[in-house]
Each structure stands twice: as structure tokens, then as C-alpha cells.
Amino acid sequence: MGTILGACNGSGSTTSEGSSSGGPGGTTEVVPTSGVTEAATTAEPTSAGSSTSSGSATSEPATTTGGMAVTRRVFITAATFHGDLKTQGAGSDGVDGADRLCAAAAAGAGLDGSWVAWVSSSSVDALSRLAADGRWVLLDGSTEVFPARGAIQFGPEHAIDMAETGATLPGGETIWTNTDSFGKNSTDGQNNACDDWSGQTGLAAVGVLFDPDFGGAGLSWTDTKQPQACGGVHHLYCFEG
């Protein structure tokens, strides 16, 4: 894959009060989320990325606890796909096809749980598809990526660079999203999200794992501001639901 450098602003990271990481064995933990607000602010979002990590995947699923943040997992697919996610995933539409591709990747690696792809279309925003009570970690069970859903707008605390297999992918890998830093459908560059992920014509926004100019994943983890042709191939981000 060719490296794409994203256009992102700001630095820094956010944490939520009382957040904790899952143990090395992948045991699910719950933490309070009183320190995180979910609504997007009018201030310019900031973010921080960090270097790659290593570790083995865990098949431990998330659990739910009322009023507490539930530790869930997130990975990047080892495989890449062209923009017609509907056909490749045999879905009812493009977003459903993307979800099925994530589910198939997880199942192939022995991961339990339900999974949704971090993609947006003209009728659905990626953020709205994530669990409101979630915090997300890599498959090692301990590397925190987002302390809460409301913190996603500030960018990841660590690049989502671990695939379902447990392997760490290189920083220049790119990911289909058509999703801006607030988790909304991207319209920059007159994107059509590959005909809502059902064709190989048009453009869609992509993210990049690691932006060398920024020194981390930055906000370009989800949108490099450089839409790519739908005939090209890119990875998917898969969030545990």
C-alpha cells in the first residue's frame, strides 16, 4: 500500500476519569465515564497517536454493565477490499456488507462478539453505530484506543494497528471510512462513498494508521482529506458492538 499523509490539526489526547485497561488475558473490565462528554464541541478537535504495538489476539467478548463503560475491542482487517463492500461482504447494502466482512475476519481469527465496520454512507454515520457505553482497546486487551465514544472526536490514543490475527500492520496502511473526525459521513471532495459502498466508481474518504508528519495517528486515522478511487483496495476498521 502507498503511504497517504493526512491533513490534521492539533495534538494531545483525552482520557476519561476512572478509565482502566483490560488485563493481558483479555478480561473485560468496566470503568466510570463521568469525565467524558459525548457531544461534539465547537473547539477545534485535537488528537494524539502513538507508535505500533504487539501482542496476541484474545477471543474474550465484551459484557454489559448499566451505567459503566464497557471494555470493547477494535481491530484493522488484515485483508484489503475495493469499494464495493456490498458485493464482497454479500450484504443487503454497502454498510451491511462491510459489517459482514468484519464479522468474517473476526470469526476466522476465533474472536467472539459482534462487530461493526467504521464506515459511513449517505444515510448512516459511523459514530451512531457504536455502543454508547463503550471504551475500546486493541486485541491485546490492554492498549486503550478510545476511553469513551464521546472521545472519538479527539482521535485515538493509539493507532488501530493490530489486525484480527494479532499482527501489527505498518503505519502507512490505509482504511476505507468515508467518515470525518466527528464520526459523520464525509462530503469533502464530493465523495459518494463508492455509491454507498456498492460500486467501484467514485471516491471515498480513507484513514491512515500513522501520519509521520503529525508524529502519530492524529485525526487522519479516519480521514486523510485525500479521497481515493473506489477501484483501489484498503483495509477496514472493525469495532466490537
Side-chain angles (χ1 to χ4, degrees):
M1 300 295 302
T3 300
I4 296 179
L5 303 184
C8 52
N9 299 308
S11 62
S13 63
T14 62
T15 58
S16 61
E17 182 180 352
S19 294
S20 63
S21 299
T27 302
T28 299
E29 298 182 7
V30 293
V31 293
T33 56
S34 58
V36 178
T37 58
E38 182 160 338
T41 62
T42 55
E44 183 177 2
T46 60
S47 63
S50 58
S51 61
T52 58
S53 66
S54 62
S56 59
T58 172
S59 61
E60 203 57 35
T63 59
T64 57
T65 301
M68 305 291 282
V70 178
T71 299
R72 304 175 189 272
R73 299 161 294 171
V74 60
F75 66 85
I76 180 175
T77 59
T80 57
F81 311 95
H82 57 67
D84 186 358
L85 302 177
K86 176 182 178 180
T87 298
Q88 292 166 104
S92 59
D93 57 32
V95 172
D96 181 56
D99 288 348
R100 290 173 180 269
L101 290 170
C102 281
L111 299 176
D112 295 330
S114 60
W115 302 86
V116 296
W118 178 259
V119 293
S120 296
S121 69
S122 60
S123 60
V124 63
D125 295 325
L127 186 67
S128 69
R129 309 177 66 235
L130 301 189
D133 62 353
R135 63 180 285 267
W136 286 270
V137 299
L138 296 183
L139 294 181
D140 61 7
S142 61
T143 304
E144 185 168 86
V145 178
F146 299 112
R149 191 173 77 166
I152 289 177
Q153 63 179 304
F154 301 110
E157 295 185 355
H158 191 285
I160 307 171
D161 55 4
M162 186 176 288
E164 71 274 13
T165 60
T168 299
L169 301 189
E173 296 300 292
T174 49
I175 305 94
W176 286 125
T177 68
N178 213 67
T179 304
D180 66 18
S181 61
F182 292 105
K184 307 293 185 181
N185 183 50
S186 174
T187 57
D188 287 348
Q190 297 182 339
N191 301 344
N192 69 354
C194 306
D195 291 327
D196 279 342
W197 307 114
S198 64
Q200 295 187 58
T201 59
L203 300 172
V206 298
V208 65
L209 281 185
F210 189 86
D211 180 354
D213 283 351
F214 188 71
L219 297 181
S220 59
W221 77 278
T222 188
D223 190 359
T224 63
K225 305 298 184 182
Q226 298 177 32
Q228 298 298 298
C230 295
V233 294
H234 305 278
H235 301 271
L236 292 173
Y237 289 130
C238 302
F239 283 70
E240 188 173 16

